[in-house]
Amino acid sequence: MNSKANDPKLKSWIDVKSESDFPIQNIPFGLYSDNKVSHHACTAIGEFIIDLYELQRHDFLDALAIPDNFLNADSLNDLIGMGKITTNGLRERLSELLQHNNFELQDNTDLHFLIIKKQSDVKMLLPVHIGDYTDFYSSIDHATNVGTMFRDPANALLPNWKHLPVGYHGRASSICVSGHSFHRPKGQTLPAGDTQPVFGASKLLDFELETGFIIGKSTKMGESVTTEKADDHIFGMVLFNDWSARDIQTWEYVPLGPFLAKNFASTMSPWIVTLEALSPFRTKGYVQEPKVLPYLQYSGEKNIDINLEVIIKTENNDENTVCQSNYKYMYWTMEQQLAHHTVNGCNINVGDMMASGTISGPLPTEYGSMLELSWRGTKPLKMKDGTERKFINDKDSVIMRGYCKKDNLRIGFGNCEAKVLPAT
Ligand code: MN
């Protein structure tokens, strides 16, 4: 995936601060609204967005032959569905228009108010219509921690774990874009030592630090995607918080897995960072031993070095970093997840979301959930305001951030943030 837009030497005529998630080498895709625009496709550069519908209307994107109504639709699905020849071409064209030595848009200052807007002046929308959402369980450190806590430290991983990427079908309707809030879920729980369940607000509300990938190319029922071809079907990645009510989960999950403990809300970051922008940060993953079945084998470096962090923002706006992990710790890669998901002929559609599962690293500061960070509530975390957290309190916000960094190039995702309100 050699892309001119990835050249670390490129510079833009738009000011980009060195710690920005959105240098000219990123060019992610999103959907925004403001008081004049109900939904236009956009990209991000520095602290600004670039309106792709207006670029198109003013003939900057003519060579790509994208229908106008794909850029002011209420999702990016149709645009993404045109395929990587078009979307990579669009990313390259946007890179060209934003380079310091290109004057097409730079000198067309009359149009700047329509096309270039401050991110702080617009509202980001859920970028895709998500038909189906799948959540995996692919971090070996996370699965080992949970197995150790709830079952048996000597046999923390169940017998299937190293042979297939365990997953379940989640709920797409309650996936929200960063910036939302939701009420603490209510449900059935079984108090410790009791035999009869009670109904009430969850007491053990948790985050799960995850990433998600968005399907960019559909398949028909009966078709399978190989690990080798998987990247053709993966449009890009987002940060993802798979909120979980641990007390509801513990009581309900046997034998069919997560249900109401997970489907009340999930949060995703608004910018889809393309697989192509992430390609310079590919790296090796854990050695898979025992060897996996042929349909799950792959060649090359398929993990990605993405620094991930979780911040609990308390009511007084203190930001407490509680976890620093990395996507490279994934045992199962996206390519393997997709090969497994489709090996039985299950069809996938443009806009589908596949989440990684909680991404923990080997160190206790790298655990991707409060369940692990507080070790089931036995080791509370101290906040800057002196309070303690075993799980997430009402009025807390959880912020996830992620970025790749190599030499002087930093490619980031923007915030994935949501606030917990008291139960209704
Ligand atoms: Mn999850």
Side-chain angles (χ1 to χ4, degrees):
M1 275 182 272
N2 265 334
S3 155
K4 275 194 254 170
N6 288 352
D7 183 349
K9 291 196 287 293
L10 295 181
K11 282 196 171 33
S12 178
W13 50 271
I14 293 185
D15 183 48
V16 180
K17 296 197 169 66
S18 60
E19 71 278 17
S20 173
D21 280 346
F22 308 111
I24 190 170
Q25 291 83 0
N26 191 340
I27 320 278
F29 291 95
L31 192 69
Y32 87 96
S33 71
D34 65 13
N35 51 16
K36 297 216 170 58
V37 166
S38 50
H39 31 70
H40 284 180
C42 60
T43 188
I45 180 146
E47 290 160 23
F48 301 90
I49 64 115
I50 304 292
D51 185 316
L52 305 188
Y53 177 73
E54 293 296 342
L55 273 185
Q56 164 92 337
R57 229 165 49 86
H58 292 91
D59 305 325
F60 290 99
L61 306 177
D62 286 355
L64 294 155
I66 301 169
D68 288 2
N69 63 356
F70 284 15
L71 297 171
N72 68 351
D74 61 3
S75 80
L76 301 179
N77 289 41
D78 287 338
L79 174 66
I80 293 170
M82 289 186 80
K84 288 209 182 195
I85 291 178
T86 301
T87 54
N88 287 341
L90 176 57
R91 182 167 167 266
E92 298 290 337
R93 174 61 178 151
L94 295 169
S95 166
E96 198 174 88
L97 285 170
L98 294 169
Q99 286 170 34
H100 75 284
N101 53 359
N102 182 297
F103 300 97
E104 295 171 75
L105 177 60
Q106 190 174 176
D107 281 357
N108 229 317
T109 49
D110 287 357
L111 294 176
H112 285 191
F113 80 100
L114 267 181
I115 294 174
I116 310 170
K117 298 178 178 182
K118 286 199 84 164
Q119 286 186 27
S120 54
D121 290 340
V122 305
K123 184 176 182 291
M124 296 305 295
L125 307 173
L126 195 69
V128 278
H129 171 73
I130 302 169
D132 279 302
Y133 156 47
T134 300
D135 192 25
F136 286 95
Y137 187 57
S138 289
S139 153
I140 192 166
D141 296 293
H142 172 68
T144 303
N145 285 340
V146 173
T148 300
M149 250 181 266
F150 290 98
R151 285 189 304 272
D152 171 11
N155 298 290
L157 298 179
L158 288 168
N160 61 1
W161 202 89
K162 285 190 170 182
H163 295 280
L164 54 85
V166 171
Y168 67 96
H169 287 298
R171 182 83 194 163
S173 68
S174 50
I175 298 177
C176 299
V177 76
S178 177
H180 73 111
S181 54
F182 64 93
H183 293 281
R184 176 176 296 271
K186 294 176 288 193
Q188 280 196 32
T189 60
L190 185 69
D194 282 7
T195 54
Q196 293 302 308
V198 296
F199 179 82
S202 167
K203 294 189 173 74
L204 309 182
L205 181 62
D206 201 354
F207 59 79
E208 290 191 337
L209 170 61
E210 305 197 14
T211 61
F213 64 88
I214 305 291
I215 296 298
K217 185 179 174 186
S218 304
T219 61
K220 292 194 181 71
M221 262 181 80
E223 288 176 10
S224 302
V225 177
T226 62
T227 56
E228 202 180 332
K229 289 267 187 264
D231 288 350
D232 296 345
H233 294 263
I234 301 173
F235 177 66
M237 292 179 74
V238 295
L239 304 177
F240 195 73
N241 183 350
D242 180 32
W243 292 94
S244 298
R246 300 300 179 195
D247 42 359
I248 296 173
Q249 186 175 357
T250 310
W251 171 234
E252 75 170 1
Y253 87 102
V254 184
L256 287 186
F259 188 33
L260 305 186
K262 303 269 190 180
N263 68 4
F264 56 90
S266 315
T267 311
M268 70 179 258
S269 55
W271 296 104
I272 308 175
V273 178
T274 63
L275 211 52
E276 288 66 32
L278 295 166
S279 65
F281 307 96
R282 290 277 190 177
T283 186
K284 274 208 273 292
Y286 282 113
V287 175
Q288 296 186 328
E289 184 57 48
K291 202 171 170 189
V292 298
L293 287 169
Y295 81 92
L296 290 168
Q297 291 169 13
Y298 66 92
S299 56
E301 298 188 333
K302 291 295 184 195
N303 282 54
I304 309 179
D305 185 355
I306 308 173
N307 300 289
L308 299 168
E309 54 188 27
V310 184
I311 293 113
I312 296 177
K313 190 164 81 180
T314 47
E315 210 184 340
N316 62 0
N317 286 328
D318 278 345
E319 291 198 359
N320 302 271
T321 302
V322 295
C323 161
Q324 291 183 299
S325 186
N326 194 302
Y327 184 73
K328 70 183 177 192
Y329 295 134
M330 292 288 286
Y331 189 86
W332 295 101
T333 66
M334 292 184 282
E335 291 77 8
Q336 291 179 308
Q337 290 171 337
L338 195 51
H340 184 64
H341 202 307
T342 58
V343 74
N344 62 348
C346 171
N347 52 328
I348 53 171
N349 290 303
V350 170
D352 285 357
M353 149 78 82
M354 312 237 168
S356 57
T358 308
I359 304 166
S360 295
L363 299 175
T365 52
E366 295 171 326
Y367 294 170
S369 64
M370 288 302 281
L371 177 69
E372 296 161 270
L373 289 164
S374 77
W375 207 256
R376 222 177 167 178
T378 60
K379 297 175 181 170
L381 304 186
K382 264 257 180 326
M383 300 290 108
K384 287 176 185 164
D385 65 3
T387 59
E388 289 186 335
R389 292 293 180 283
K390 296 173 178 173
F391 289 90
I392 300 302
N393 287 4
D394 290 344
K395 298 179 189 169
D396 284 348
S397 293
V398 172
I399 305 171
M400 296 180 175
R401 297 194 180 118
Y403 64 93
C404 305
K405 200 167 182 186
K406 195 167 168 185
D407 305 321
N408 281 321
L409 181 58
R410 177 192 157 110
I411 301 279
F413 286 82
N415 277 8
C416 175
E417 176 171 356
K419 184 172 184 173
V420 178
L421 304 174
T424 50

